[in-house]
Amino acid sequence: MQTGSQTDPRSRSRQIVEGRDRAAARAMLKSIGYTDEDLSKPIIGVAHTWIETMPCTYNQRRLAERVKEGIREAGGTPMEYNTVAISDGVTMGTEGMKTSLVSRDLIADSIELVGRGHMFDAVVSIVGCDKTIPGGALALARLGIPGVVIYSGSIHPGRHNGRDITIQDVFEAVGSHAAGQIDDKELNEIESSACPGPGACGGQFTANTMAMALEFLGLSPMGSASPPATDPRRDEVSVEAGRLVMRMLENGLSVRDILTRASFENAIAAVAATGGSTNGVLHLLAIAREAGIELDIDDFDRVSGRTPTIADLKPGGRYTAVDLDRAGGSRLLGKRMLDANLMDGTQLTPTGRTIAEECEEAKEAEGQDVIVAVDDPLRESGGLVILKGNLSPEGSVVKLSGHTRLHHSGPARVFESEEEAMDAATHGGIYDGDVVVIRYEGPKGGPGMREMLGVTAALVGQGLGESVALITDGRFSGATRGLMVGHVAPEAAHGGAIAALRDGDGITLDIENRSLSVSLSDEELQSRLSGWTEPAPRYETGVMAKYAALVSSASEGAVTQP
């Protein structure tokens, strides 16, 4: 496949629409309105994930029209196509949540498949909800052709009792209601106010984390992720994306020319500096593997350790993505970090300019305190920490905020599924000091590595966020806060040490020493595991069974490769 050395912008589409032998293909395309002139131009795929099951991607059909407008203006012919999406927020806490991470690879597969099948010269991928963003990025990394990923924007925060609220507040309100701290009326008021319109979840949760990460990775234009979903600037971002992908094609600039080891470290630094989602670890590892870039889970701890937290964003901070946009957006964050030598400013962006050149255009709102100075950070190091030890020899992930405890020891309370843990959490079955263990929710065991926001938010809502810890081989939402450790690997379904735990085992989380351990000897652990048998697959046919059979460890990005 040709990449940066490509000289013919129609090298791919010619093969499907040009010459006598392609008359049948042209006839079929003419039947739906394409002309000879259209088919003589570069053909650009415009992929999106519109679906009527969530607010996150609800504006994408309109944005696709704007992208197509930009492509036509720049001399190309757009062809729109769409794929599936799963709402993490809607499915959270149910069996349906197991499909979320599975959808990431299905989205990537389908964007890639249509891109290969119809031999597009370039692709613009419009993304919104958590798994659609890495899904679009994975597809472009596989195709290796000119392409950009465009975020459809964050939701505006809702208002309740005079303060901004997000979907995080709704999940935590469930815990408060279970503890008798709020009544039915207030719970209804919170749920009815939290999401005032289209857009992805409003804090620095997974969607906004990954949208920003892709800007610093070089797959999205710098500043394109900042405008909220309903902001008029979102239309102009989309039109410009269409023009931009045509310039990339003309200049022979492909995704493979942009993605480097240094660009991934820039993306990790952006996640760390903003207190971003632990899902950033999973997704950036996966994208790196598809791009052939060497990246290890320990790299996240190393980069995060040298990166101060300088953005005061929810869930650990005060502000939403809309506030970040008003303050100066990703360009301001990038300029702060570049001035402090915390990023590599020589890395390319889709415009062909470097990150340093893009971030020189940063404009800071007067009096803003969303992004603070590097020499007076919110935390001296970034939010991502990788723990290892006899409970997670391949690694596990915890996100720190300004108030996260750095040490916890307590007895294990072991649950075989999220539902069991949620039942205990909402019926007074979790006590101060406990270490809640939720296993068989990993990539293979779930399958699909469900997020645990329902459980973690219920614990916080009941006032237990500062006195209990939770570990799981599943994942957390970007909205999760508290001392919660996910991605424990090897997972229980692979016979990892988490499968050997019993109620009452002493578990220690030592953040400063990067350790997650159980007070059992190696001999005792091995003795318990020698009697372990792999549980029967939860799905024996269909997409879930195929995923469970193919998926790798969370420490490798939970990718599905043969």
Side-chain angles (χ1 to χ4, degrees):
M1 180 179 296
Q2 293 177 319
T3 55
S5 61
Q6 178 174 315
T7 57
D8 178 8
R10 295 184 59 222
S11 64
R12 291 167 57 82
S13 63
R14 281 186 199 279
Q15 301 172 60
I16 206 164
V17 298
E18 197 167 276
R20 179 191 62 195
D21 294 349
R22 306 309 305 156
R26 292 192 297 273
M28 295 189 75
L29 291 169
K30 287 178 179 180
S31 76
I32 53 174
Y34 293 101
T35 66
D36 285 327
E37 182 182 3
D38 293 332
L39 300 180
S40 70
K41 299 175 181 179
I43 297 179
I44 314 300
V46 180
H48 61 79
T49 55
W50 180 89
I51 197 167
E52 206 170 32
T53 61
M54 66 177 92
C56 315
T57 61
Y58 200 68
N59 59 342
Q60 290 187 0
R61 287 194 295 188
R62 178 175 60 81
L63 296 182
E65 290 300 322
R66 303 287 81 77
V67 171
K68 290 157 66 177
E69 179 183 325
I71 291 169
R72 292 190 187 101
E73 282 181 13
T77 295
M79 289 188 178
E80 181 180 349
Y81 65 111
N82 68 291
T83 182
V84 301
I86 302 292
S87 169
D88 290 30
V90 173
T91 63
M92 190 75 67
T94 72
E95 186 78 1
M97 182 64 201
K98 292 181 179 182
T99 65
S100 171
L101 187 59
V102 177
S103 77
R104 181 192 73 177
D105 286 54
L106 184 57
I107 290 162
D109 290 349
S110 57
I111 293 174
E112 176 198 6
L113 201 63
V114 177
R116 290 190 189 280
H118 286 271
M119 307 187 80
F120 296 136
D121 296 304
V123 170
V124 177
S125 183
I126 307 172
V127 298
C129 193
D130 295 5
K131 305 310 170 296
T132 69
I133 302 172
L138 287 167
L140 293 188
R142 294 174 186 175
L143 288 167
I145 60 178
V148 293
V149 179
I150 295 297
Y151 185 40
S152 51
S154 173
I155 198 170
H156 279 272
R159 295 287 291 178
H160 177 68
N161 289 341
R163 67 182 183 92
D164 285 350
I165 63 171
T166 68
I167 195 67
Q168 171 192 352
D169 295 274
V170 183
F171 281 104
E172 292 181 5
V174 173
S176 299
H177 184 274
Q181 297 168 8
I182 62 173
D183 58 18
D184 291 349
K185 181 175 181 292
E186 184 165 5
L187 178 60
N188 182 263
E189 288 173 354
I190 292 171
E191 75 172 69
S192 299
S193 304
C195 300
C201 299
Q204 193 68 342
F205 310 150
T206 301
N208 284 315
T209 294
M210 287 306 301
M212 175 179 284
L214 293 196
E215 291 180 300
F216 288 94
L217 189 59
L219 292 183
S220 297
M222 186 62 66
S224 63
S226 295
T230 56
D231 192 298
R233 291 174 296 159
R234 182 55 54 198
D235 282 359
E236 179 53 35
V237 164
S238 300
V239 173
E240 178 55 29
R243 302 183 189 121
L244 175 59
V245 80
M246 289 298 296
R247 293 198 298 272
M248 292 180 72
L249 185 60
E250 291 161 8
N251 295 329
L253 180 62
S254 78
V255 167
R256 294 288 176 86
D257 300 317
I258 290 173
L259 295 178
T260 67
R261 167 69 182 231
S263 71
F264 276 93
E265 292 205 3
N266 284 347
I268 295 169
V271 174
T274 57
S277 169
T278 53
N279 285 313
V281 177
L282 198 72
H283 300 323
L284 289 172
L285 282 171
I287 298 166
R289 274 158 178 71
E290 296 291 7
I293 305 293
E294 289 190 10
L295 194 70
D296 186 85
I297 192 170
D298 292 326
D299 291 321
F300 290 81
D301 195 273
R302 177 177 54 81
V303 175
S304 183
R306 73 184 187 209
T307 305
T309 304
I310 60 171
D312 193 4
L313 298 172
K314 291 177 179 288
R318 295 175 293 166
Y319 295 112
T320 68
V322 175
D323 298 311
L324 177 66
D325 174 53
R326 292 170 182 152
S330 52
R331 278 194 171 95
L332 178 59
L333 179 85
K335 185 166 182 8
R336 287 271 205 276
M337 298 185 72
L338 287 165
D339 289 346
N341 294 316
L342 294 170
M343 280 188 175
D344 184 341
T346 68
Q347 297 305 298
L348 287 177
T349 69
T351 63
R353 302 203 301 167
T354 66
I355 286 181
E357 289 172 322
E358 290 287 348
C359 290
E360 275 302 312
E361 297 182 1
K363 296 178 181 178
E364 181 174 1
E366 184 177 353
Q368 70 83 24
D369 60 351
V370 181
I371 301 174
V372 303
V374 172
D375 58 7
D376 187 23
L378 300 166
R379 284 186 61 89
E380 293 295 333
S381 61
L384 298 176
V385 172
I386 305 301
L387 306 182
K388 292 189 173 180
N390 66 352
L391 263 183
S392 58
E394 291 182 8
S396 54
V397 185
V398 63
K399 181 173 74 173
L400 304 182
S401 60
H403 57 272
T404 305
R405 289 164 290 142
L406 300 181
H407 190 279
H408 182 96
S409 291
R413 291 293 314 286
V414 181
F415 301 95
E416 308 298 330
S417 69
E418 180 184 5
E419 285 84 359
E420 285 187 13
M422 187 66 175
D423 184 65
T426 54
H427 291 87
I430 307 296
Y431 306 100
D432 286 348
D434 282 349
V435 178
V436 177
V437 177
I438 307 176
R439 63 190 180 193
Y440 295 106
E441 292 287 5
K444 177 182 179 180
M449 207 179 178
R450 279 192 290 186
E451 291 180 354
M452 304 293 167
L453 179 57
V455 177
T456 60
L459 293 172
V460 170
Q462 292 185 59
L464 292 170
E466 295 302 313
S467 60
V468 302
L470 187 150
I471 69 170
T472 179
D473 51 10
R475 297 181 296 124
F476 296 126
S477 164
T480 291
R481 59 192 177 114
L483 189 49
M484 314 291 180
V485 181
H487 306 204
V488 172
E491 63 174 292
H494 278 301
I498 191 172
L501 294 179
R502 298 172 183 169
D503 281 346
D505 287 341
I507 296 176
T508 298
L509 295 81
D510 186 343
I511 307 302
E512 291 183 330
N513 290 308
R514 303 301 195 257
S515 174
L516 174 62
S517 61
V518 58
S519 57
L520 298 174
S521 67
D522 291 345
E523 292 76 16
E524 175 62 17
L525 268 176
Q526 289 305 313
S527 174
R528 291 188 187 184
L529 289 172
S530 66
W532 174 83
T533 56
E534 183 177 348
R538 289 178 171 169
Y539 295 85
E540 295 184 351
T541 60
V543 64
M544 306 296 281
K546 286 189 285 187
Y547 182 86
L550 289 172
V551 70
S552 71
S553 169
S555 64
E556 299 175 349
V559 292
T560 52
Q561 293 182 339

